[in-house]
Amino acid sequence: MKVLKFGGTSVGSATTINNVISILEKKSKNNTIIVVVSAVGGITDKLLYAAHLAIEKDKDYKDVFLRIKDIHIDLVKQLIPTDNESIVSAIEIKLDSLNNLLEGLYLLNDLTPKISDKLFSYGELLSSYIIAETMKSRELDVIRKNSQELIVTNSNHGNAEISRKETEENIKEYFIQNSQSITILPGFVAKSNTGEETTLGRGGSDYTAAIVAAALKADVLEIWTDVSGMYTANPNLVKQAIPIKQLSFQEAMELSHFGAKVLYPPTVQPVEDANIPILIKNTMQPDDAGTKISDEKNASIKNPVKGITHINNIALLTLQGPGMVGIPGFSKRLFEILAQEKINVIFITQASSEHAICFGIDIKDSEVAENAINKAFEYEITLKKIDPIIVESGLSIIALIGDNMKNHQGISGRMFSTLGKNNINVRAIAQGASERNISAVIGENDASKALNALHERFFEVQNKRLNVFIVGVGNVGERLIDQIEQQYSFLKKKLKIDVRIVGMANSRKMVFNENGIDLEDWPSAFDFAEQSNLERFFNKVLELNLHNSIFVDITADEKVSDWYAPYLHHSISVVACNKIACSGSYSTYKNLHDLALNFNTSFLYETNVGAGLPIINTLNNLVASGDKVTSIEAVLSGSLNFVFNNFGDHTNFHDTVKRAQFEGYTEPDPRIDLSGIDVARKILILARENGEKMEIEDIKNESFLTKANLESISVDDFYDTLKEDESHFQQIYASAKANNCQLKYVAEFKNGKAKVGLREISEGHPFYNLEGKDNIVMFYTERYPEQPLIVKGAGAGADVTASGLFADIIKIGNK
C-alpha cells in the first residue's frame, strides 16, 4: 500500500492533473493507492481575498467568486469534455453554498476562525471531487472519501490538533471495508469531535497524508510537488543546487524547519514513529529519483553536510546586563514571557559569562516581544541591573544541516571562514550538542551571497564561480571578453573555475545580468542598457552582493581608480590595468593594499607594468622568497620602443609617432608616452613593490623632447612641434648611429633612487636587440648579482594586455 499526496501545483491545471492521473494509473496496477490532494493551485488565496472583500463591504468579492467558479468548471470541461453535465451541476451546487457563505460575510462583516475553516475547506473538497470524477470517467477503479469523516480534531480552528487514536481507528475501519484500487482524499480538512469543520493549518495536506500512512502502516509516503526532491539549497537562490538523494528523518525535520518548503515539519513525526519512508517526487518529471527520507544509513555518502538552508525576516533580541551574572531565573522569566505572548523562538544562544541571552524570532513578533520583556523586567531595568531589550532587524538565519557533521572535524571552521572571506558579518552563532545543525545570524542582504558561497564550499568543490564586473569595454576589454569566452570550458574543466561576466560598462552605457552576460553576443546587451554611471555601477555590484566578485578596470581614468577603495572595503577584488592608483600618492597605494589585506580580498595590477609580462609577479616572488633586489634596469614602454626601433635617417620622427598612434601603440594623446611620465609611473610601481616609499616627484625624468614639445597645448599642436623640431630628433639618432648604438628609453632603480631617460645602448647589451614593442626588465639581486634575472616579451598590445588581466582573474580564482 502506498499513500501519495499531490500539492496545489500538481493539481493546478488540466495538464498537471492529467500527469497525476497517469502516475496513479501506473502505480495502481500493483498497489493499493491512497491519494491526498490539495486545493487547485491559487484557490486558497482567492478564497481569502474574496472573504476580505466581503467583510470590507466591497462587492468585488462577487467577481472573485465568479473567477473561482469559472476555474473549477473550466477544469471539469477540459478533463471531461463530454457527458460532464452532472459533474458540473454538482460543482455548481457546492459553489452555491460558498456564495451563500460569502454573502453572509458581506452582511455580518465578521470572519471568525470557525467560518475561515469552513471557507478554506472548499478548495480541497472541490479538487478531490473533480479528480475522482475524472478518473471514474476514464474507467479507473477509484472512490472518493471525505477526510472530514475520518480525521477528528479539537476545536482549535485554523490549526486544529488531531485526536490520533480516534482518527486512526476511523481510517483503519474505513479501509478494511474499502476494496477500490485508488482512494481519493481531500487534504487539510477535518472535523472536530463536536462535528464542526476544522483545518490542519500550514502544510495540512502533507500532515493528512502522513496520518493516513501511519495509521495503515503504508509501505511509503510519496509527496508529489513541483521540484525533484529536497535540494542542497534553495534552487531559486543557488542555481547550482542539486536534489539530495537521501536524508534521515531528523535531517529532513531540520531542513523543513529552516525554510525548505517542500516538506512541513509535522509531516515527518507520524511516519518516523511508524518507520515509513518518505519520497519527495516531481509531478512534471516523475522519472527523477527525488529525495528519500528514512532511517537508513548510506555509507557511500561522503559529504557530512546534507543541505544549507535559511530563514528571512528575523529579529535578534538581546537581554543583557551585569545583574544577570550568576543569578538564576532570568532565562525562565524571559521565555515564560514569550510563551505567554505566543511568540515562537527560532534561535537561542547564551555566552558562558551569563551576561547576555540572545534569541531570534519572526520580525512580526518583535514589537510585541520588546514591549512585553521591557515591562516584565521594568524593576531590574530601573535599577540598571539589566539593559532594555536590544532589538536588531533585517536579519536572516543560515544553517548547515547534516547528521554526520559531528564525526567530521572542521565543519564550523570551514563555514565561518567562508563567510568571513566573503565579508559576511556573523551576528550570532548556535550549535546543539548533536551538531546536526550549525546556525548563524547574518544580515538579510547577505543571505543569497552566503548560500552561494557555502554551497560552493561544501557542494561544488570542483567549481569556483567568479563574478566579474568590467569597466572599460574598449579594445583591450573586447579582447578580454573574447579570451574569457574562448577559455570558459577549459577553465571549468581543468582549473575548476567558472568565470561569468555579470556586469560591464563603457563610457556611455552599462549592463548587468546576475546569471552571466551571454558572451557570444555581448554587444547586443548594450542595446537595452542604462546610462553609464560609476556610482550606480558600484551600487548595483553591492545590490547583487555576489560571492567571489571581481571589479576589473580597463581604463586610464582617475575617476574609476577612485572607486577601488570602496570595492575593496566590501571584499570585492580589484584587477586594474589602470596604473593611476598605484603610481599616485604613496598613501593611496598603501591604503589600497591595507584594505585588501584587512578585508581578505585581492588587489592585482600585473598589467600596470609590461602588459601581460609577469614582471610584478616575478618581483613579488623574489621579495617573498627572501631575496633582496639591488637594482632594476628596464625598457618599459612598448610605445617608445616601437618609435625608436622604426625611426631613422630615412624616416621623420613626426611620421613615426603618427604610425605608432595609428597602430595602437600609444595613448590617444601621445605626449603621455613620449614625455616619459608613463615609464616613470612604471618604475615607481616596481620600486614600491620592492618596499620603497617613493613618490612620482622622486623619479628623475630626463626628457628627450624639446621645450616646445613639452609646452604644446594640444595633440595637434604637439604634432606641429614635432615637425618643427625634426632636426633635434635627427641629431639624437645620428649620435647613436655614430656610436654604433641603439636608442632605448630606459628606467633605472638603484640605491633607493630612480630615473628614466633616453639612452644609447651599445652592442652586446641585453637591450640592444630589443625589437618592435617588446619590453625587458633586468633584476639584479643578492642571488642574481652578475647575471640578472630577465623578463622579456611584448609589452604593449590589446591581446597581451587582456591576457595579463585574465591571468590576474585566474589567480584570484586559484586563491
Side-chain angles (χ1 to χ4, degrees), residues 783-795:
R783 295 174 187 162
Y784 299 88
E786 296 178 0
Q787 294 296 327
L789 189 158
I790 297 177
V791 180
K792 179 183 176 181

Side-chain angles (χ1 to χ4, degrees), residues 505-523:
N506 56 31
S507 60
R508 302 179 307 280
K509 294 182 178 181
M510 60 185 189
V511 63
F512 298 88
N513 186 324
E514 184 176 354
N515 297 318
I517 294 168
D518 181 5
L519 299 188
E520 290 186 0
D521 188 28
W522 64 266

Side-chain angles (χ1 to χ4, degrees), residues 92 119 166 230 247 295 345 375 397 405-406 427 453 476 510 545 561 579 587 691 738 755 770 776 800:
E92 287 178 337
L119 176 77
E166 189 175 352
M230 298 183 79
L247 289 168
D295 62 358
V345 177
K375 182 177 180 181
I397 297 174
M405 293 196 304
K406 62 184 177 183
R427 297 291 301 113
V476 176
M510 60 185 189
N545 202 16
S561 67
K579 63 180 70 69
S587 60
K755 64 179 180 178
L770 196 66
I776 186 171
V800 293

Side-chain angles (χ1 to χ4, degrees), residues 568 581-582 586-605 616 620 685 688-689:
L568 294 169
C582 288
Y586 179 78
S587 60
T588 296
Y589 169 86
K590 185 177 185 303
N591 179 53
L592 294 175
H593 280 272
D594 289 343
L595 285 170
L597 182 65
N598 293 338
F599 290 94
N600 195 32
T601 192
S602 297
F603 175 42
L604 301 179
Y605 41 90
I616 293 175
N620 288 337
I685 292 169
R688 287 175 172 177
E689 293 296 299

Side-chain angles (χ1 to χ4, degrees), residues 56-86:
E56 290 172 5
K57 300 294 185 181
D58 188 336
K59 291 187 178 180
D60 285 347
Y61 83 86
K62 293 182 178 180
D63 293 334
V64 180
F65 166 75
L66 291 174
R67 178 62 184 142
I68 293 170
K69 182 177 181 179
D70 289 344
I71 287 171
H72 287 94
I73 291 176
D74 288 347
L75 200 55
V76 170
K77 291 179 178 179
Q78 291 178 58
L79 291 167
I80 311 172
T82 59
D83 299 327
N84 55 27
E85 294 81 5
S86 62

Side-chain angles (χ1 to χ4, degrees), residues 465-613:
R465 177 171 175 178
L466 304 180
N467 297 291
V468 178
F469 299 84
I470 298 175
V471 170
V473 191
N475 197 17
V476 176
E478 289 180 6
R479 299 296 200 285
L480 176 60
I481 294 167
D482 290 344
Q483 290 175 17
I484 290 174
E485 181 193 6
Q486 177 184 330
Q487 291 299 106
Y488 178 80
S489 297
F490 174 85
L491 292 177
K492 197 167 183 180
K493 182 178 180 180
K494 297 294 184 180
L495 300 183
K496 310 304 180 186
I497 296 173
D498 180 6
V499 182
R500 308 281 183 92
I501 298 178
V502 177
M504 57 175 70
N506 56 31
S507 60
R508 302 179 307 280
K509 294 182 178 181
M510 60 185 189
V511 63
F512 298 88
N513 186 324
E514 184 176 354
N515 297 318
I517 294 168
D518 181 5
L519 299 188
E520 290 186 0
D521 188 28
W522 64 266
S524 66
F526 283 96
D527 293 344
F528 304 99
E530 59 182 296
Q531 185 176 354
S532 192
N533 178 281
L534 291 174
E535 184 176 4
R536 288 205 303 272
F537 192 93
F538 171 74
N539 290 334
K540 184 64 177 181
V541 175
L542 295 191
E543 178 188 328
L544 289 172
N545 202 16
L546 301 173
H547 70 302
N548 300 329
S549 290
I550 304 172
F551 174 72
V552 182
D553 176 12
I554 318 179
T555 73
D557 190 339
E558 185 175 0
K559 292 179 181 178
V560 178
S561 67
D562 287 342
W563 285 95
Y564 294 176
Y567 279 107
L568 294 169
H569 184 80
H570 286 85
S571 291
I572 297 167
S573 295
V574 173
V575 171
C577 178
N578 185 346
K579 63 180 70 69
I580 291 175
C582 288
S583 62
S585 68
Y586 179 78
S587 60
T588 296
Y589 169 86
K590 185 177 185 303
N591 179 53
L592 294 175
H593 280 272
D594 289 343
L595 285 170
L597 182 65
N598 293 338
F599 290 94
N600 195 32
T601 192
S602 297
F603 175 42
L604 301 179
Y605 41 90
E606 183 66 69
T607 52
N608 277 196
V609 182
L613 294 177

Side-chain angles (χ1 to χ4, degrees), residues 450-468:
L451 285 169
N452 279 276
L454 290 172
H455 195 274
E456 181 180 272
R457 183 69 180 85
F458 289 101
F459 294 100
E460 302 169 52
V461 289
Q462 70 276 19
N463 284 312
K464 180 178 184 180
R465 177 171 175 178
L466 304 180
N467 297 291
V468 178

